[in-house]
Amino acid sequence: MPSLILPRRALLGGAALLAAPAALRAQPAWPERPIRWIVNFPPAGAADILSRAMGDWFGNRLGQPIVIENRPGAGGMVGSDLLAKARGDTHMVMMSNAASHGIGPVLYANVPYDPLGDFTHLHLVGTFPSVLLVSPSFPARTLAEFIDRAKAPGGLQYASGGNGTMNHLVGQLLARAADVELTHVPYRGSAPAMTDVMGGQLPAVMESLPTAMGHIRAGRLRPLAVSEAERDPTLPEVPSFSEAGLPAVTSTNWFGFSAAAGIPAPIGTRWQALIAEALASTMVKERFAAIGVRPGTLGAAEYTALISGELTRWREVIRSGGIRAD
């Protein structure tokens, strides 16, 4: 169900409108109705956590409610397609991400949207690593011990929150780099994947750090390695895959803010300024830091270039590794 983030009495009008660029003043008053903020993954995942942190900040500034709407499915493509088909709609936005805009479009054969042409990409929101996790009862206490167990006949299974996600692909990079068999078990979201690993139904899960942080701190999941080149400051005792001798297993999860293609440029400019202000706010920085997220610093052009580069990178990884959607 959509959830509402109610505003205070902050309206885009009066002095704020007079201060806006002339081109924006020529447009009808905006926003005229609630903003639909599409989260293309289930509740409690990284996209949902970041969206709600940002939505809390926005809720008292636009004069209209932010309605956060979870529309998961197909590695984030279901929710992304909603926005792609809403060309020119100035009242719908989404948290774009590596799964829906960097991996899925080159992993799946029939993607219903153009990850670049069907969107107005406005700002990088945050980055963080994937982390390999096992239950505290699992015998392997280090990455080396995990790999040794994966070398046994039949290898090991690992869960993720869905096909085509960054966590799915990082698991495949690990299997290739360590020359072991790791069978991917996709779930419909991060929460059930982690629950089954905590319960011993599966040995491991590859998960985004913000989603897993609460379980790590509570001792319900044991982290073995993170996917960025260096250790994450929130988990200083956990090595990176690169540090453990597997530099090919290096990746960064990213989430950004995107609107539909065809929106008026002044509204895009206003969104960019608001996102940058949100990311610089103490409230958002503290909430991001608590879950291991670094606020994004890339504006519209740089974020669009990042997406283009990620499409190129993952296309080659998928092709050379013979990786297919499950």
Side-chain angles (χ1 to χ4, degrees), residues 1-5 36-39 41-44 48 52 66-72:
M1 293 291 293
S3 60
L4 215 56
I5 297 176
R36 290 178 68 193
W37 185 304
I38 303 298
V39 176
F41 283 94
D48 188 69
R52 292 180 190 279
I66 298 283
V67 182
I68 294 189
E69 186 176 333
N70 293 87
R71 299 297 294 265

Side-chain angles (χ1 to χ4, degrees), residues 18-99:
L18 291 174
L24 181 55
R25 296 201 301 270
Q27 300 290 330
W30 177 89
E32 303 170 276
R33 59 182 186 273
I35 301 292
R36 290 178 68 193
W37 185 304
I38 303 298
V39 176
N40 55 358
F41 283 94
D48 188 69
I49 293 169
L50 300 187
S51 293
R52 292 180 190 279
M54 298 288 286
D56 285 347
W57 186 91
F58 273 111
N60 61 4
R61 284 167 171 80
L62 287 177
Q64 291 285 349
I66 298 283
V67 182
I68 294 189
E69 186 176 333
N70 293 87
R71 299 297 294 265
M77 292 193 292
V78 170
S80 301
D81 194 39
L82 283 176
L83 185 60
K85 288 182 167 54
R87 186 177 183 87
D89 190 335
T90 59
H91 292 77
M92 186 187 297
V93 297
M94 75 172 295
M95 190 74 80
S96 48
N97 51 74

Side-chain angles (χ1 to χ4, degrees), residues 10-279:
L11 300 176
L12 182 61
L17 183 57
L18 291 174
L24 181 55
R25 296 201 301 270
Q27 300 290 330
W30 177 89
E32 303 170 276
R33 59 182 186 273
I35 301 292
R36 290 178 68 193
W37 185 304
I38 303 298
V39 176
N40 55 358
F41 283 94
D48 188 69
I49 293 169
L50 300 187
S51 293
R52 292 180 190 279
M54 298 288 286
D56 285 347
W57 186 91
F58 273 111
N60 61 4
R61 284 167 171 80
L62 287 177
Q64 291 285 349
I66 298 283
V67 182
I68 294 189
E69 186 176 333
N70 293 87
R71 299 297 294 265
M77 292 193 292
V78 170
S80 301
D81 194 39
L82 283 176
L83 185 60
K85 288 182 167 54
R87 186 177 183 87
D89 190 335
T90 59
H91 292 77
M92 186 187 297
V93 297
M94 75 172 295
M95 190 74 80
S96 48
N97 51 74
S100 60
H101 286 77
I103 295 173
V106 293
L107 177 64
Y108 292 94
N110 298 305
V111 178
Y113 55 83
D114 180 338
L116 295 171
D118 285 339
F119 302 87
T120 301
H121 297 301
L122 294 168
H123 209 288
L124 179 67
V125 168
T127 60
F128 47 86
S130 296
V131 56
L132 177 65
L133 302 147
V134 296
S135 164
S137 63
F138 189 71
R141 302 194 65 85
T142 66
L143 178 61
E145 291 174 359
F146 178 86
I147 290 172
D148 283 344
R149 288 184 171 272
K151 290 179 178 177
L156 290 174
Q157 293 179 312
Y158 77 99
S160 85
N163 282 325
T165 60
M166 178 73 78
N167 297 315
H168 170 195
L169 268 288
V170 172
Q172 297 305 296
L173 290 178
L174 174 59
R176 288 175 55 199
D179 192 23
V180 295
E181 183 179 350
L182 295 178
T183 301
H184 179 230
V185 181
Y187 281 72
R188 291 180 62 84
S190 299
M194 290 189 291
T195 296
D196 276 4
V197 173
M198 287 185 283
Q201 283 84 356
L202 289 172
V205 59
M206 191 73 74
E207 190 47 72
S208 302
L209 181 56
T211 312
M213 185 64 79
H215 296 304
I216 294 171
R217 287 179 172 152
R220 291 186 291 266
L221 289 170
R222 180 192 304 136
L224 299 183
V226 296
S227 69
E228 291 184 329
E230 298 178 352
R231 297 189 182 205
D232 191 273
T234 58
L235 295 175
E237 73 285 2
V238 180
S240 67
F241 289 107
S242 181
E243 179 185 348
L246 300 172
V249 193
T250 302
S251 69
T252 297
N253 288 273
W254 48 267
F255 283 78
F257 187 82
S258 300
I263 64 169
I267 291 179
T269 299
R270 177 150 172 77
W271 272 127
Q272 289 180 62
L274 285 166
I275 292 289
E277 186 180 348
L279 293 171

